[in-house]
Amino acid sequence: MSEPLIKHLASEQRFTLTLADASAQLDYHVNGKVINFHHTFVPPEFRGKGLAEKLVRHALQWAQTEGYDIQASCSYVQRFL
């Protein structure tokens, strides 16, 4: 398996992780200096491979670097906080 590519699509308030022909995504909403990660999706064929974890860790690191107060209404992201 090749290395996944993570992109931040700021205009869509989304992080994507692309591997082969499929993409996982992590959606967020910003309100002032608060960022709420509210939805994570990984295609069924890529589940159980740690891809959601890579995606969430990347997004949380970005949010911390940017100085956001982090919230999570997504249960998967809640596990990291």
Side-chain angles (χ1 to χ4, degrees):
M1 185 174 355
S2 62
E3 189 64 27
L5 174 65
I6 297 176
K7 290 185 182 177
H8 181 202
L9 307 174
S11 63
E12 298 176 35
Q13 296 192 356
R14 171 177 291 162
F15 285 87
T16 62
L17 181 149
T18 304
L19 186 64
D21 293 339
S23 290
Q25 66 189 44
L26 172 58
D27 297 327
Y28 65 88
H29 177 76
V30 172
N31 185 7
K33 288 305 282 178
V34 176
I35 187 167
N36 178 26
F37 293 99
H38 61 85
H39 180 255
T40 305
F41 173 77
V42 176
E45 64 269 25
F46 293 132
R47 292 180 186 164
K49 300 182 186 303
L51 299 178
E53 178 181 351
K54 285 184 182 189
L55 184 60
V56 169
R57 287 189 186 280
H58 180 91
L60 290 174
Q61 182 178 9
W62 172 83
Q64 289 173 332
T65 300
E66 295 296 313
Y68 285 107
D69 292 327
I70 299 170
Q71 295 180 348
S73 54
C74 170
S75 61
Y76 188 84
V77 180
Q78 287 173 2
R79 292 184 220 164
F80 289 88
L81 300 177

